[in-house]
Amino acid sequence: MSTVADHILPAPASVADAPRAPRATAPATKVAAPATFGAAQPVPSIWWAGLVAAFAWAALGLLTYLWPNKPAGFSEWEFTQEFALGAGVVAVALVALALTPVAFGAVGARARRAGPWLVAIAVGLTVWEVFTAKLGTLPPPFFAPPQSLVEVYVTDWARLLESAGASIRLLALGIAIGAAAGFVTGVLIGWSRQASYWIHPVLRILGPVPTTALLPVSFYFFPSSWSTAIFLIALGTAFPVAILTWSGVAGVHKNYYDVARTMGASPWFLVLRVAIPAALPQVFVGLFMGLGAAFSTLVVAEMLGVKAGLGWYLTWAQGWAAYPNMYAALIVMALLFSGVITLLFVLRDRVLSWQKGVVKW
């Protein structure tokens, strides 16, 4: 037995000692390798899409500056050289962003994401410039080159700003009243069967009717065109909000109510803390749908009766055949409405932060 022990006991000691050295050093090499790899940050490559965009903007500037404008018959297009200089400045800025992306931080990252759009905008402006100011294929005054919009923004910015402010005030008031009324109505008909019996048929009949069709009747019942526009904008916003809120409240699972009742919840608690939070995604869908109706109603009301706002500015510009002013107002209107939708998205993300990852739109 002693001879067997003498042959067995030393063997594990030598075998155990042999592999322990590489096992102790192997993890050290595995940890050290990522550390050295992570320490060397990769140098950002050249932004090739930015260089292409810079070339497109530089070509736009050179074409605008070197190619003489075709006579418009009544006056020369103003701000042509300024427009060409602005395109050149954009081209220089894009070259700087493309060659030194680290120096611009978040601005450079956002510009990189918009690279294809920067190229497309430059190409679109070039085509617009060629077929209007250079060749005259699109005849004036119905079609104007891009530099004419620069002239409008420089010379008539005060009136445009005043009109945009009037539209914002009218739109905000109408949407606020319509959203509040639609939300309360939707919760009421989604919670109460009696309210649903009386209100739901009215919504089904009047909801599909365009709000602009009610303009003649509304002008009779309201004392001013301003109050008429507010009523119609609120009406166009309230219908989709009411329908979607009702759908959201009615679609809450009954198990939520049962669990809350077993814990002693009152009816008000069920409405305010169970039904409404569960229906909020549908409420925001209704708000987004109502914004489209509110925008169209706003423009029509301002064009037909309200003596202020971007819709009124469009009518004024068309009456004087000032088509560059009309196009400039359309661009301002598009930016304004897009900004309102963006703000609503931000508000939705804040209010529905507790549903992050569930809401996908």
Side-chain angles (χ1 to χ4, degrees):
M1 296 296 293
S2 60
T3 57
V4 175
D6 293 338
H7 287 285
I8 293 177
L9 292 177
S14 60
V15 172
D17 293 337
R20 278 182 185 175
R23 285 182 183 176
T25 56
T29 56
K30 290 182 180 179
V31 173
T36 56
F37 177 79
Q41 297 294 333
V43 178
S45 60
I46 295 177
W47 180 32
W48 295 106
L51 292 179
V52 175
F55 175 79
W57 282 94
L60 171 62
L62 291 175
L63 181 144
T64 304
Y65 184 80
L66 298 177
W67 190 349
N69 294 333
K70 184 176 181 179
F74 54 91
S75 64
E76 176 63 22
W77 298 116
E78 301 291 339
F79 290 88
T80 298
Q81 295 181 356
E82 289 80 359
F83 179 73
L85 179 61
V89 170
V90 174
V92 172
L94 288 174
V95 170
L97 282 171
L99 298 181
T100 58
V102 180
F104 295 92
V107 177
R110 291 183 179 180
R112 281 175 172 252
R113 291 194 295 268
W117 274 108
L118 294 173
V119 178
I121 292 173
V123 172
L125 289 176
T126 303
V127 174
W128 184 4
E129 177 73 18
V130 168
F131 283 96
T132 53
K134 307 306 179 183
L135 298 178
T137 305
L138 301 175
F142 304 102
F143 299 95
Q147 56 263 35
S148 64
L149 302 184
V150 178
E151 180 181 2
V152 173
Y153 292 134
V154 171
T155 59
D156 204 25
W157 64 269
R159 185 178 298 168
L160 267 173
L161 185 62
E162 182 181 358
S163 300
S167 295
I168 291 174
R169 289 192 298 269
L170 186 61
L171 188 67
L173 190 57
I175 290 177
I177 296 175
F183 177 75
V184 173
T185 304
V187 172
L188 189 62
I189 63 178
W191 183 260
S192 173
R193 292 184 178 180
Q194 294 181 353
S196 176
Y197 176 82
W198 290 104
I199 301 177
H200 187 229
V202 178
L203 294 179
R204 293 185 62 181
I205 294 174
L206 296 181
V209 177
T211 53
T212 53
L214 302 176
L215 269 172
V217 180
S218 301
F219 278 128
Y220 176 79
F221 283 103
F222 287 88
S224 64
S225 58
W226 178 268
S227 58
T228 301
I230 292 176
F231 167 74
L232 292 177
I233 294 172
L235 192 64
T237 307
F239 278 120
V241 172
I243 294 296
L244 270 299
T245 303
W246 161 67
S247 176
V249 172
V252 177
H253 202 282
K254 294 182 178 180
N255 290 341
Y256 296 156
Y257 298 126
D258 294 338
V259 172
R261 287 192 184 97
T262 57
M263 300 180 68
S266 63
W268 282 106
F269 184 92
L270 295 178
V271 173
L272 298 177
R273 303 299 298 273
V274 178
I276 291 179
L280 280 180
Q282 294 290 92
V283 174
F284 278 98
V285 175
L287 282 173
F288 280 104
M289 294 178 62
L291 283 181
F295 295 156
S296 60
T297 305
L298 169 72
V299 176
V300 173
E302 289 179 341
M303 294 178 70
L304 295 181
V306 179
K307 301 303 181 183
L310 292 173
W312 169 85
Y313 189 93
L314 288 175
T315 305
W316 170 83
Q318 185 180 10
W320 286 95
Y323 291 97
N325 296 68
M326 187 178 67
Y327 296 141
L330 286 174
I331 294 176
V332 172
M333 189 180 298
L335 294 177
L336 173 63
F337 294 164
S338 176
V340 172
I341 294 177
T342 302
L343 287 177
L344 188 58
F345 270 110
V346 173
L347 177 63
R348 183 211 62 178
D349 294 338
R350 292 292 185 91
V351 174
L352 298 182
S353 59
W354 54 278
Q355 287 193 350
K356 186 176 181 180
V358 178
V359 180
K360 300 296 184 182
W361 52 273

